Amino acid sequence: MSAHSHSQSSFAEKPDIASWFRRYSEPLHRNPYPFYSYLLEQEPIRFIEENGFWVISRYEDVNRILKDPTFVREHRNAMPGLYEEPPQQVVNEWKPVNDLLDNWMLLRDAPVHTRLRGLVSPAFTPRAMERLRQNIRNIAEHLADEMAEGNEAELISGFAFPLPVIVIAEMLGVPPEDRELFKGWSHTFARILEGGDQPPDFAGQAIGAAEEISVYFRDLIGEHKKAPKEDMISDLIHAKEQADALTEQELIATCVLLLVAGHETTVNLISNTMLALLDHPEQRALLLNQPKLIASTVEEGLRYEGPVQQTSRLAAADYSIGGQTIKQGQFVTVMLGAANRDPAQFQEPDRFLIERTPNRHLAFATGAHFCLGAPLARMEGEIALSVLMQKFPKMHFKDEYPNWRPNMLFRGLGTMQVQL
Ligand code: HEM
């Protein structure tokens, strides 16, 4: 085992589950897998009184909950007639944020979810993806050539981050030179989604970011209306004008969702999988020998060190599971990252095996909200890792331990220094 491998030590004492979910802590989250293994073995269905939600970790249970229409996203659907709106002052203050989140398909149920998803999905079909393939390869090769000018590089800022960001910006039709702006906004939204205890100044930052990004897209949509182009913003405007299928606010929110999804996930797929390959030299040698294994390598990267570790739902009725009852209106956190290490589903779950079959991981979730961007993420992951393998077959870590970005929901490295 190399210095970067996760030790699979188990907990001597009961871990403090409530504090795990309250606030990100570097020592706790550096290696979450012993904690997951504790949950899977000892407390697979656990209600945390302090935080007021259930934590579900076994594959079978997570899979079942995500597919079951009893579990919803919207309070008003979980508790029809009973849900109380927050005080008006809070509603007003958070309006810029909620105008966006309330229009994200990710956080809606049918019928709004179905309509919004239907409007965006043509852009993500396998056929639509194939048309992007060569362009993605060109971008990846260009970034790799730039890195190759030195003996060492920082893989996140030099490659893993810019690749998906350039791709989603081009797909949407936003100018790539505004990249630094999106980065800040997108990281703020990643923290809004994370929940938990945030520092007191975070509210101002979140509301400010929501206001700015909304103005940004309103202007950009205005420009696209005057001069339509071949991009998603123009397609969505067309859908809005033809069938009146989308409100202006939904259009803005959808652009923001795609931008955030494009920023916070695929970067982690590329770098987390590269980290696993560097940590497992025999698996890397196998991939170098058999480049055809790239697709299953990406799947194993998604399973082993998934970019999205958890998601949540609300129970719309009392629900029995494993001898316990989740009550109507209660919050449920499903641990995708733990389910993907469940020994009942995966043989030797803590090993990184690029030939693993079957590999029905839940990294993209399942059910109605199954990741819409999955075909894009998979293609970007395959191209990115192939290019890195080809150009830098001897890549290795510089000595420092790669640091994880402080977010409980999204698992990804802040920096990754490598020798080329
Ligand atoms: C490896 C990269 C990615 C991972 C691991 C990932 C993961 C996920 C997960 C777990 C969900 C479902 C959340 C839930 O059910 O609560 C989701 C939904 C979604 N993802 Fe991704 N995602 C990735 C990349 C992308 C990309 C590149 C895009 C688009 C640019 C994207 C767009 C979306 C959208 C629009 C949804 C909402 C779908 C719905 O509510 O019906 N994702 N993603």
Side-chain angles (χ1 to χ4, degrees), residues 61-337:
D61 297 336
V62 171
N63 189 38
R64 188 171 136 196
I65 285 175
L66 288 173
K67 287 189 169 125
D68 194 314
T70 308
F71 290 93
V72 299
R73 276 297 204 173
E74 300 177 43
H75 280 280
R76 56 177 92 77
N77 293 337
M79 307 279 281
L82 292 173
Y83 172 64
E84 282 179 30
E85 292 291 336
Q88 199 56 44
Q89 194 201 335
V90 177
V91 173
N92 291 344
E93 203 188 350
W94 282 86
K95 189 173 183 308
V97 174
N98 290 335
D99 278 349
L100 295 173
L101 302 191
D102 288 348
N103 290 301
W104 279 11
M105 70 181 88
L106 177 68
L107 304 177
R108 298 303 300 269
D109 300 315
V112 175
H113 169 260
T114 326
R115 174 172 54 83
L116 292 176
R117 188 171 168 118
L119 285 167
V120 183
S121 52
F124 290 95
T125 57
R127 219 217 251 136
M129 290 302 101
E130 277 315 309
R131 287 199 289 270
L132 299 176
R133 184 180 287 279
Q134 191 52 46
N135 189 29
I136 296 178
R137 181 165 277 282
N138 293 345
I139 300 168
E141 283 181 349
H142 173 74
L143 292 168
D145 287 342
E146 277 187 347
M147 278 206 306
E149 286 167 16
N151 291 331
E152 50 182 69
E154 200 283 285
L155 198 69
I156 313 284
S157 58
F159 188 86
F161 185 74
L163 176 65
V165 167
I166 294 170
V167 171
I168 191 66
E170 283 189 2
M171 280 176 78
L172 274 170
V174 294
E177 55 281 10
D178 292 342
R179 203 193 292 172
E180 279 305 309
L181 281 175
F182 315 140
K183 188 174 174 178
W185 290 331
S186 169
H187 286 0
T188 302
F189 273 89
R191 281 176 63 194
I192 296 175
L193 282 179
E194 180 189 25
D197 295 348
Q198 297 286 356
D201 61 351
F202 182 65
Q205 187 189 328
I207 293 162
E211 277 167 351
E212 285 169 25
I213 202 167
S214 302
V215 169
Y216 179 90
F217 273 110
R218 189 162 292 126
D219 290 350
L220 197 64
I221 289 164
E223 285 169 27
H224 276 70
K225 277 183 185 159
K226 281 189 231 137
K229 305 190 175 73
E230 290 223 352
D231 56 33
M232 275 176 79
I233 294 183
S234 302
D235 288 350
L236 289 169
I237 293 172
H238 185 72
K240 179 176 176 321
E241 286 170 354
Q242 290 298 302
D244 212 9
L246 199 66
T247 66
E248 183 85 7
Q249 193 54 50
E250 285 172 340
L251 177 53
I252 294 172
T254 301
C255 292
V256 175
L257 171 61
L258 294 173
L259 200 68
V260 172
H263 272 67
E264 301 299 326
T265 54
T266 312
V267 50
N268 301 339
L269 168 61
I270 298 169
S271 42
N272 294 2
T273 308
M274 199 62 218
L275 175 75
L277 284 167
L278 295 190
D279 252 348
H280 297 82
E282 79 299 343
Q283 296 295 305
R284 179 158 65 138
L286 182 62
L287 180 59
L288 276 169
N289 249 327
Q290 296 185 48
K292 280 202 175 120
L293 290 174
I294 193 66
S296 65
T297 300
V298 166
E299 295 311 304
E300 182 64 346
L302 284 160
R303 184 196 70 84
Y304 184 78
E305 200 85 92
V308 180
Q309 290 286 306
Q310 59 187 58
T311 184
S312 60
R313 296 290 187 269
L314 285 159
D318 289 0
Y319 191 84
S320 298
I321 184 163
Q324 305 194 60
T325 303
I326 301 174
K327 296 241 165 59
Q328 181 179 8
Q330 284 180 331
F331 246 111
V332 176
T333 293
V334 292
M335 303 300 292
L336 305 173

